[in-house]
Amino acid sequence: MSFDIPKVAYLARIAMSEEEIAAVKPKLENVMAMIDDLVKIDTTNVAPLASPLEQYQTLREDVVTETDQHVTYQKLAPKVAADLYLVPQVIE
Amino acid sequence: MQWEVIIGLEVHTQLLTKSKIFSGASTAYGATPNSQACLVDLAFPGVLPVLNKTAVEMALKFGLAVHAEINPYSTFERKQYFYPDLPKGYQISQYQTPIVGKGYLDIELDNGQTKRVGITRAHLEEDAGKSLHDAIPHMSGIDLNRAGTPLLEIVSEPDLRSAEEAVAYLKTLHALVTYLGICDGNMQEGSFRCDANVSIRPVGQKEFGTRAEIKNVNSFRYVEKAINYEIERQKEVLESGGIIVQETRLYDASTNTTRSMRSKEAANDYRYFPDPDLLTLYVSESMMAAASQSMPELPWEKAARFQSDYQLSAYDAKVLTAERGLADYFETVVKLSQAAPKLVANWVMGDLAAFLNKNNLSIEASPISGERLAGLIARIQDNTISGKMAKTVFEAMCESNDTADHIIEARGLKQMTDSSALEKVIEEVMTANPQQLNDYRAGKDKLFAFFVGQVMKATKGQANPQQLNELLLAKLKSNN
Amino acid sequence: MFTYSIKELAHALAAGKISSQELTQLYLDRIAALDPKLNSFITVTAEHALAQAKAADKKLSTGEAGPLTGIPMAHKDIFCTNGIKTSCASKMLDNFIAPYDATVVSKLNDAGMVMLGKTNMDEFAMGSSNENSFYGNVKNPWNIDYVPGGSSGGSAAAVAARLAPMATATDTGGSIRQPAALCGISGLKPTYGRVSRWGMIAFASSLDQGGIMAQTAEDIALVMNAMAGHDEKDSTSIDLPVPDYTTKLQDSLKGLKIGLPKEYFEGLDPKMAELIHTAAKALEAQGATLQEISLPNVKHSLPVYYVIAPAECSANLARYDGVRYGHRCDNPKDLLDLYQRSRAEGFGAEVKRRILVGTYVLSAGYYDAYYLQAQKVRRLIANDFHAAFEKVDMILGPVTPNAAFKSGEKAQDPVSMYLSDIYTLATNLVGSPGLSIPAGFIDGLPVGLQLIGKHFDEARLLNVAHQYQQITDWHKQMPSI
């Protein structure tokens, strides 16, 4: 299987121990074996279907409808100061 | 070795909508952090995006202005990466099919030649928020007010061959988007941002060299400096036998260098796929028709009209139409003053421009309104004041909010128009200076200026110079 | 009175036989007494419910009441409820008090319904057995050793045990119909776009659809009238007029053409096949005609679904990063650690597996082979349905291959679990409405009949189901708990 679990887990930002990777491996292998059946289906000249409703996007008028709610919203945040959401220092 | 420089630019223009591209939150700049981040911008569970109609219309206007193919059906994709200023963990952008396809922009180079630069595409996407690294010790603070601001990313073909050409392209593009009223063009506030893809290749080689992408260049001057630095860096690397790595580099204006941002590049895999929350964007014929109807006169069209309607030189027309505000100002002054357009052009490009420049003011912020300047120029046109006196009046106008008429009146700066009064002063001056009179009449022509000066002094500069010249010449030549 | 349908309860309320407050208290008492055995609720909102009931009583007394005013109900904990915990059965959102109402919630509030609480579910709606909840398994009221199905297992168990006359639910691959079948109640997944997704926490955006679980098709029709409709906050909700779903309930089935896809019966458990054929015959007796049809590509539904749903989920769940709300790990040493540990701790095993699969199928080098190919096969499946609906008005089949299975039985192999949705997945892929109604019992456990309709043809599905429920009483069977 070309499913590089540590690499994919990194892309998805999910910490996984060696044990967890070992435990999930056979389950993912089963799932991927089932999915691999897809590859054999002939889809020449078939257009992909991304949404069941082949309709067009509706557009909204350019109107400001929202008011300042940041105090309410930030009550739900794990770490806030000076109206800012805080994360460990990002070095650029 | 002789190197050829290849530059392509990606310009992010913030569209001048009132609300965000996918939410009803305000896009105004400079608000309290996170006060303009609504549930959609904050990516709360269960929220959904709905596309802003005005953002689409603005993209169409740009497409029409650069003669581009408009894709009647375009799609929105999710570009996935984790970063604190990207609340959803993906940016909604147009990847496979952008709304604006291939087009071009003609730019004028310093040598007067015109160059056609290809536009690869322009697509709609959302801006990210901002990370502030100095606000709180050991932490980064996230302000999501900017998150969801509509962007039109305009990608050029790698058609530019020098930093100067890149800047000329950028300036033309800047004028265009501000003319169209789709972007305020404010580079300091980040409304108009540029990334430059730079590579070099030996002259004559067909294949492109490996390119570096320079990010974070927020003024025309820095774009030029950053590109020139990067060209030199690449030359040095290649000439010393090294290879150029494809990477993102950050321009640092304080040191005038670019440095690698390899950390950010590591293992990037954006996993684009169509955003299932947004359906295909269909641009109908009626939307296209509405967009073409709303097209303003474009900079190059305006410049051509200025030359034909106002008999201005190509140079004057170009300077005056470089910014829509300046062109509008000029036309206001011409209309209100009823003066010769060339006279107005000289004032707008001369004294007014110098004053604004000195005080670092935009034409929109000019304390001298078009109406006030027109009031001044009208008085020159009707000979109430001389051009020289007008400069005094202009200086006074800069210091106050008074009209030209008020200043002329208050300071008694009106030109003498009564020729008999002027003749009387001339006679008095001639009488008071018999020696100089004799010398002049003996052939010392240069003394003419002396008499002009004396009369001007006696009239406190109010004599009409042309009238004075005529009368003085007649008096000096006659022997009575 | 707790055995009453919504329609019967509405009559009782209108006639003044009971007040909404009394009725609400009756259900709250049942929940308090019986739910410890079932674990069908994550949050019971007694105070909130009684306040809503009081307001409803006022409307009932002043004649301002609508057909649903004062009727108690429960919301799946996937719908955001303003000021009330909305967890999606995840540790990630264990502390999340939603600051806004989902459109479904505000519409049912406006209709005067009374929310008893938020029902348990598989975490982020990922599962077919309700064994993936941070708040513990839900038990099947017919036999608590068995699963109630998933992901809307809490809503199904609550309605089946008559802890609420109705509950909202969501269906991404069968999450309304499969638990409805396994718990012996009626459940409708409307056409994609018929019910707003605003405020419904996303699992797979092109497949998710909110719907209804109740005892009868008639009750579903009553609630659909209040719940369906265009929402300008949801670009994928369709701007079509909402019919009165109750007006067609009494229509005759004469001339109705029902298709039975042969693929749904190949290898089907004979007991199940017999029950489904019996149900089909009953409809035939009422004037419908039956014909065999073929949906040759429907067999690919499972792999197509398990590419598309995880792909969309991997992006939809990227927002849970410990920054603006939800779980955040202790003392992150840097940004990467904050992300990786918050997400590792906040998500359960099945959710993580699906995020990994979704991330993988979208990653560089695999997109075309998996994601794009899945979307192409999805079109082949949609074409099968379009062709079938040229010939028939509706499609009939089983909801599940079997009746409910025992808790823990399929926990080790995700694919065996996924197979329990084999007959429901295609409907989500093509956006069609699907209805599950009780059709009998196998070894004492209920099973369901599935009716699949053309886009926006819910009224016809409800008509057929209602007619079926006039001549059968499977839907009236109640577990003894």
Side-chain angles (χ1 to χ4, degrees):
Chain A
M1 186 173 72
S2 52
F3 200 140
D4 180 345
I5 298 172
K7 188 183 151 200
V8 174
Y10 171 77
L11 269 179
R13 299 295 187 273
I14 294 174
M16 288 185 87
S17 66
E18 294 291 326
E19 294 74 34
E20 286 170 310
I21 291 170
V24 82
K25 196 165 183 280
K27 293 182 178 181
L28 289 177
E29 278 170 356
N30 277 0
V31 174
M32 290 314 297
M34 178 266 286
I35 289 173
D36 274 331
D37 286 349
L38 270 184
V39 182
K40 298 166 211 150
I41 302 164
D42 181 8
T43 53
T44 319
N45 297 324
V46 179
L49 178 64
S51 171
L53 294 174
E54 289 189 277
Q55 304 257 346
Y56 301 124
Q57 177 62 30
T58 52
L59 303 173
R60 41 170 276 274
E61 294 300 323
D62 180 26
V63 181
V64 175
T65 54
E66 301 298 320
T67 54
D68 177 10
Q69 303 285 328
H70 81 284
V71 175
T72 308
Y73 298 159
Q74 290 193 336
K75 280 183 189 149
L76 293 158
K79 215 169 176 74
V80 170
D83 307 307
L84 300 165
Y85 293 98
L86 299 188
V87 297
Q89 181 94 57
V90 180
I91 303 119
E92 285 202 329
Chain B
M1 187 179 288
Q2 287 288 92
W3 298 97
E4 186 184 21
V5 175
I6 310 287
I7 303 163
L9 298 179
E10 291 170 17
V11 177
H12 289 84
T13 54
Q14 280 186 349
L15 296 177
L16 261 179
T17 55
K18 294 184 196 78
S19 65
K20 294 189 176 170
I21 185 164
F22 298 120
S23 82
S26 169
T27 54
Y29 181 82
T32 303
N34 293 303
S35 64
Q36 290 176 177
C38 70
L39 294 169
V40 173
D41 308 324
L42 293 167
F44 263 60
V47 300
L48 296 166
V50 186
L51 183 58
N52 186 328
K53 188 176 170 192
T54 302
V56 174
E57 289 166 349
M58 288 178 168
L60 292 178
K61 278 166 91 169
F62 176 78
L64 288 171
V66 298
H67 321 278
E69 300 160 14
I70 303 291
N71 286 315
Y73 304 96
S74 62
T75 51
F76 287 89
E77 277 92 357
R78 295 178 176 182
K79 177 184 182 179
Q80 304 187 65
Y81 61 94
F82 283 90
Y83 204 70
D85 64 16
L86 189 72
K88 293 188 293 295
Y90 57 84
Q91 179 196 32
I92 303 177
S93 181
Q94 295 195 292
Y95 181 61
Q96 289 251 339
T97 318
I99 181 164
V100 176
K102 275 190 184 305
Y104 63 85
L105 189 62
D106 287 335
I107 63 169
E108 202 176 305
L109 305 178
D110 284 345
N111 61 14
Q113 285 185 327
T114 299
K115 177 175 179 137
R116 180 155 290 184
V117 180
I119 305 277
T120 314
R121 58 186 280 160
H123 63 258
L124 287 165
E125 62 183 25
E126 56 180 340
D127 210 343
K130 281 182 186 166
S131 303
L132 307 170
H133 305 299
D134 309 317
I136 313 284
H138 314 300
M139 303 293 278
S140 290
I142 312 300
D143 174 8
L144 296 169
N145 280 349
R146 198 179 67 177
T149 299
L151 294 176
L152 186 68
E153 181 176 338
I154 303 158
V155 183
S156 87
E157 293 286 310
D159 287 349
L160 301 158
R161 291 294 172 269
S162 68
E164 294 71 30
E165 285 188 19
V167 171
Y169 166 80
L170 272 184
K171 285 187 171 167
T172 310
L173 191 63
H174 187 269
L176 177 59
V177 295
T178 51
Y179 257 77
L180 292 169
I182 65 173
C183 177
D184 68 15
N186 190 324
M187 296 176 86
Q188 266 71 49
E189 291 176 5
S191 311
F192 187 91
R193 313 197 288 268
C194 173
D195 299 339
N197 287 305
V198 180
S199 66
I200 59 173
R201 64 180 172 193
V203 170
Q205 181 182 302
K206 269 193 172 173
E207 300 77 33
F208 289 132
T210 307
R211 65 188 158 86
E213 184 181 6
I214 312 167
K215 285 204 179 283
N216 196 32
V217 245
N218 62 0
S219 81
F220 295 127
R221 202 160 57 92
Y222 290 158
V223 168
E224 187 162 355
K225 286 183 156 195
I227 291 175
N228 279 330
Y229 172 84
E230 181 59 22
I231 293 168
E232 288 311 311
R233 185 189 73 84
Q234 292 190 12
K235 278 184 191 168
E236 264 177 45
V237 170
L238 292 173
E239 284 172 359
S240 62
I243 52 159
I244 303 294
V245 200
Q246 182 164 341
E247 62 180 353
T248 303
R249 298 182 68 86
L250 197 68
Y251 178 66
D252 184 344
S254 62
T255 58
N256 187 33
T257 53
T258 63
R259 66 183 157 83
S260 175
M261 290 176 75
R262 246 167 248 151
S263 57
K264 206 176 174 178
E265 290 288 287
N268 258 351
D269 183 345
Y270 292 127
R271 289 161 285 136
Y272 281 99
F273 75 104
D275 191 329
D277 289 332
L278 292 161
L279 304 172
T280 299
L281 171 60
Y282 172 57
V283 178
S284 63
E285 278 175 29
S286 66
M287 280 172 83
M288 283 302 291
S292 17
Q293 286 211 330
S294 70
M295 287 294 277
E297 190 179 28
L298 298 176
W300 46 88
E301 293 166 351
K302 208 182 272 281
R305 182 170 61 82
F306 276 24
Q307 287 187 58
S308 63
D309 285 10
Y310 301 125
Q311 274 84 50
L312 296 178
S313 69
Y315 174 81
D316 286 356
K318 195 187 169 197
V319 172
L320 287 170
T321 56
E323 286 175 49
R324 187 171 171 176
L326 188 66
D328 290 348
Y329 187 99
F330 167 78
E331 294 206 276
T332 305
V333 177
V334 170
K335 195 173 161 222
L336 294 176
S337 67
Q338 297 288 311
K342 176 63 187 164
L343 178 64
V344 176
N346 289 347
W347 273 92
V348 171
M349 292 160 61
D351 293 72
L352 179 73
F355 169 72
L356 295 177
N357 214 11
K358 193 174 126 197
N359 293 287
N360 205 10
L361 292 167
S362 69
I363 188 73
E364 285 79 10
S366 171
I368 299 179
S369 66
E371 200 179 352
R372 283 174 77 209
L373 187 66
L376 173 66
I377 294 174
R379 295 291 85 83
I380 305 171
Q381 184 74 21
D382 69 9
N383 281 325
T384 305
I385 54 171
S386 65
K388 196 171 169 204
M389 281 196 291
K391 290 190 188 288
T392 313
V393 177
F394 181 79
E395 276 162 30
M397 288 169 75
C398 294
E399 315 271 292
S400 73
N401 287 320
D402 293 337
T403 61
D405 283 342
H406 186 268
I407 293 164
I408 292 166
E409 193 63 44
R411 300 200 181 182
L413 294 174
K414 247 189 190 137
Q415 283 192 136
M416 291 175 72
T417 45
D418 179 351
S419 61
S420 62
L422 187 56
E423 278 179 17
K424 206 174 153 224
V425 177
I426 294 171
E427 281 161 17
E428 280 165 15
V429 167
M430 285 164 67
T431 315
N433 298 285
Q435 184 62 46
Q436 284 83 351
L437 184 62
N438 283 337
D439 290 353
Y440 177 82
R441 287 183 173 158
K444 273 192 135 177
D445 285 354
K446 278 186 183 166
L447 280 167
F448 185 76
F450 166 78
F451 286 103
V452 171
Q454 290 298 309
V455 176
M456 276 297 182
K457 198 173 163 188
T459 60
K460 292 179 186 138
Q462 281 165 277
N464 178 317
Q466 204 184 333
Q467 196 179 20
L468 169 58
N469 278 352
E470 285 164 14
L471 289 175
L472 183 63
L473 199 61
K475 284 277 171 197
L476 290 172
K477 292 255 159 105
S478 73
N479 282 323
N480 40 344
Chain C
M1 198 169 282
F2 61 83
T3 59
Y4 279 22
S5 68
I6 290 176
K7 197 179 176 201
E8 291 161 342
L9 290 172
H11 281 310
L13 286 169
K17 285 185 186 160
I18 191 168
S19 72
S20 176
Q21 289 172 85
E22 288 161 344
L23 188 61
T24 300
Q25 192 58 56
L26 185 153
Y27 281 108
L28 288 171
D29 291 345
R30 275 186 72 76
I31 293 168
L34 300 174
D35 203 47
K37 288 186 203 167
L38 300 177
N39 195 29
S40 67
F41 280 84
I42 290 173
T43 306
V44 177
T45 53
E47 212 173 300
H48 177 86
L50 290 167
Q52 279 188 319
K54 197 174 171 186
D57 281 333
K58 203 171 168 194
K59 285 197 168 171
L60 284 159
S61 68
T62 55
E64 297 164 77
L68 297 173
T69 304
I71 305 287
M73 55 82 62
H75 279 298
K76 186 176 180 179
D77 207 21
I78 199 169
F79 290 100
C80 285
T81 41
N82 192 8
I84 293 162
K85 172 170 157 175
T86 301
S87 73
C88 235
S90 180
K91 181 181 175 184
M92 186 60 89
L93 292 176
D94 182 42
N95 58 4
F96 183 68
I97 310 295
Y100 75 111
D101 276 331
T103 298
V104 160
V105 172
S106 51
K107 282 192 165 220
L108 296 189
N109 282 344
D110 291 348
M113 296 196 90
V114 173
M115 182 181 74
L116 300 165
K118 307 290 293 288
T119 59
N120 204 344
M121 55 185 281
D122 281 302
E123 183 182 7
F124 283 103
M126 295 175 206
S128 310
S129 65
N130 224 307
E131 294 169 294
N132 299 331
S133 168
F134 177 62
Y135 301 97
N137 298 355
V138 177
K139 311 288 169 52
N140 190 318
W142 291 91
N143 183 333
I144 58 168
D145 293 333
Y146 286 74
V147 303
S151 66
S152 313
S155 288
V159 173
R162 310 300 193 252
L163 306 187
M166 174 248 142
T168 58
T170 61
D171 191 315
T172 304
S175 283
I176 290 176
R177 292 158 289 157
Q178 184 254 21
L182 301 192
C183 289
I185 58 166
S186 305
L188 173 70
K189 177 202 96 75
T191 310
Y192 181 81
R194 180 76 286 188
V195 171
S196 169
R197 294 190 295 116
W198 172 260
M200 191 177 105
I201 298 177
F203 157 20
S205 311
S206 80
L207 304 163
D208 294 344
Q209 181 60 204
I212 299 160
M213 289 175 166
Q215 291 173 33
T216 66
E218 185 175 33
D219 282 1
I220 290 174
L222 282 166
V223 181
M224 268 299 275
N225 282 349
M227 201 161 113
H230 176 62
D231 181 1
E232 58 186 26
K233 294 201 283 292
D234 176 1
S235 302
T236 62
S237 83
I238 294 306
D239 196 0
L240 278 178
V242 179
D244 179 345
Y245 291 100
T246 60
T247 53
K248 282 192 171 177
L249 290 174
Q250 312 300 336
D251 286 4
S252 156
L253 304 190
K254 222 170 180 69
L256 181 83
K257 286 179 276 181
I258 297 177
L260 281 70
K262 62 175 189 196
E263 292 82 3
Y264 279 25
F265 294 90
E266 282 164 3
L268 184 64
D269 171 7
K271 286 181 190 164
M272 180 70 83
E274 194 193 328
L275 284 173
I276 301 303
H277 280 299
T278 305
K281 291 272 181 248
L283 296 175
E284 192 177 33
Q286 287 179 293
T289 57
L290 306 178
Q291 70 180 89
E292 187 183 87
I293 56 163
S294 176
L295 301 168
N297 288 291
V298 82
K299 61 177 180 287
H300 303 309
S301 300
L302 193 68
V304 168
Y305 181 87
Y306 280 97
V307 169
I308 293 170
E312 293 183 7
C313 121
S314 70
N316 283 334
L317 271 58
R319 67 191 58 201
Y320 305 103
D321 59 5
V323 178
R324 297 165 313 286
Y325 50 77
H327 177 74
R328 180 182 181 116
C329 67
D330 288 332
N331 304 315
K333 67 176 173 22
D334 56 24
L335 182 65
L336 183 62
D337 187 40
L338 167 71
Y339 285 153
Q340 291 183 323
R341 272 201 294 132
S342 298
R343 290 166 62 76
E345 294 165 8
F347 293 138
E350 177 65 17
V351 170
K352 283 190 230 180
R353 280 198 293 273
R354 295 207 194 183
I355 292 175
L356 292 177
V357 170
T359 304
Y360 175 65
V361 298
L362 289 174
S363 64
Y366 300 102
Y367 179 88
D368 286 0
Y370 291 125
Y371 181 78
L372 200 61
Q373 174 73 352
Q375 297 288 36
K376 288 177 179 174
V377 181
R378 183 183 194 175
R379 180 167 307 272
L380 294 177
I381 297 168
N383 291 347
D384 283 359
F385 276 83
H386 293 319
F389 285 128
E390 296 282 309
K391 293 183 209 145
V392 297
D393 301 313
M394 123 181 0
I395 294 169
L396 179 151
V399 180
T400 57
N402 307 100
F405 48 90
K406 274 192 170 164
S407 301
E409 194 179 305
K410 299 187 178 182
Q412 279 318 300
D413 177 14
V415 176
S416 71
M417 180 76 83
Y418 297 167
L419 282 165
S420 54
D421 291 328
I422 188 74
Y423 300 120
T424 49
L425 298 171
T427 319
N428 299 77
L429 293 171
V430 306
S432 284
L435 180 63
S436 169
I437 48 172
F441 290 82
I442 295 176
D443 303 330
L445 290 167
V447 297
L449 170 74
Q450 183 173 212
L451 298 170
I452 300 166
K454 298 176 184 175
H455 283 185
F456 302 104
D457 210 11
E458 288 85 356
R460 189 94 78 116
L461 295 183
L462 292 166
N463 164 225
V464 175
H466 180 69
Q467 291 306 311
Y468 180 75
Q469 290 179 339
Q470 300 309 297
I471 54 162
T472 57
D473 65 355
W474 302 120
H475 61 289
K476 290 186 179 155
Q477 308 288 318
M478 206 188 108
S480 55
I481 177 166

